[in-house]
Amino acid sequence: MAEHVKKPRPMRPSPAWASKRGIVELSVSPTVMGLSIRDQLTERLHRYCWAFDERNPELLIDCFTADAIWEGHVMGETEVGPHRGRDAIMTYLTTFWQYQRDQRRHVITNLLVESLDDEQATCVAYLSLLGSHHASTQFETAGFYKVEYRREGTTWRISRLTAGFDSPYWKQEVEEMEPWVKELFGITRHEPATADE
């Protein structure tokens, strides 16, 4: 009698399924006529989120200046990065794709323009992060983005993205992580809160 071998469950949904099926076809640096500067800044942040969620490296790299910085802060306890330069940011963000088994959806709301001149701008916005796998969707974390932009010609690009997370977007405590997992997440500092804080 043949021994029953359990087949691995397929990813449902497969990450970036909409792009893989040709349902969503995103443009790199589309010409968007008539948008206010505020709308252009919002559009750039939204394109960053779509590019990550649809695993589109060409669109993702176009979001950043060559000298951009990406950094994260988790609950004020853990620092991620900073990752300096567009190439380092791309390596960090796209490395997740081979380990991340769910379809991510970054939802941006409450965008505020904090400063703006002809060449630079700073915005803050709320982030809700959802993940779908095994044919169900769950809430991953909430937080915010602080985004610094620089105008390059007629295009606004991200020169610094600071992500603040209200809860970890990983499943285990940092103290329990193997060194390669800490490196994968880019964790550079971890100081848990104390009862007095």
Side-chain angles (χ1 to χ4, degrees), residues 111-181:
L111 185 130
L112 302 175
V113 178
E114 289 294 291
S115 67
L116 173 64
D117 63 32
D118 290 339
E119 301 299 321
Q120 299 179 73
T122 301
C123 295
V124 292
Y126 283 153
L127 165 69
S128 297
L129 185 58
L130 306 173
S132 299
H133 65 286
H134 301 310
S136 87
T137 300
Q138 66 183 17
F139 187 79
E140 294 292 330
T141 190
F144 65 88
Y145 284 143
K146 178 182 175 185
V147 187
E148 297 175 23
Y149 301 85
R150 189 165 64 237
R151 188 195 297 266
E152 296 185 331
T154 59
T155 302
W156 289 91
R157 289 195 169 83
I158 298 168
S159 59
R160 185 180 198 115
L161 192 150
T162 302
F165 301 101
D166 295 335
S167 62
Y169 52 94
W170 46 76
K171 302 299 181 199
Q172 65 187 128
E173 294 293 331
V174 173
E175 295 83 1
E176 299 168 4
M177 288 181 178
E178 294 183 37
W180 76 268
V181 177

Side-chain angles (χ1 to χ4, degrees), residues 48 69-84 92-93 96 124-125 127 129 140-148 160-170 174 185-193:
Y48 162 79
I69 297 171
W70 191 106
E71 62 186 350
H73 300 271
V74 182
M75 304 184 303
E77 298 179 356
T78 307
E79 291 181 8
V80 177
H83 302 281
R84 298 179 184 278
Y92 171 67
L93 293 176
F96 278 111
V124 292
L127 165 69
L129 185 58
E140 294 292 330
T141 190
F144 65 88
Y145 284 143
K146 178 182 175 185
V147 187
E148 297 175 23
R160 185 180 198 115
L161 192 150
T162 302
F165 301 101
D166 295 335
S167 62
Y169 52 94
W170 46 76
V174 173
F185 284 111
I187 295 170
T188 54
R189 186 188 69 82
H190 177 66
E191 294 177 13

Side-chain angles (χ1 to χ4, degrees), residues 33-118:
M33 303 299 290
L35 289 184
S36 68
I37 292 176
R38 176 192 170 86
D39 289 340
Q40 292 175 51
L41 300 174
T42 303
E43 174 91 1
R44 177 57 67 192
L45 181 54
H46 288 178
R47 285 190 171 280
Y48 162 79
C49 295
W50 272 96
F52 185 88
D53 294 345
E54 289 300 313
R55 300 184 176 198
N56 185 327
E58 186 179 10
L59 183 61
L60 189 60
I61 199 169
D62 187 60
C63 291
F64 293 98
T65 62
D67 61 347
I69 297 171
W70 191 106
E71 62 186 350
H73 300 271
V74 182
M75 304 184 303
E77 298 179 356
T78 307
E79 291 181 8
V80 177
H83 302 281
R84 298 179 184 278
R86 184 168 46 208
D87 292 340
I89 293 168
M90 288 297 295
T91 298
Y92 171 67
L93 293 176
T94 60
T95 296
F96 278 111
W97 295 345
Q98 63 184 310
Y99 297 99
Q100 204 167 54
R101 309 297 285 174
D102 61 353
Q103 171 64 65
R104 290 292 164 108
R105 299 288 182 205
H106 290 71
V107 181
I108 302 298
T109 57
N110 299 50
L111 185 130
L112 302 175
V113 178
E114 289 294 291
S115 67
L116 173 64
D117 63 32
D118 290 339

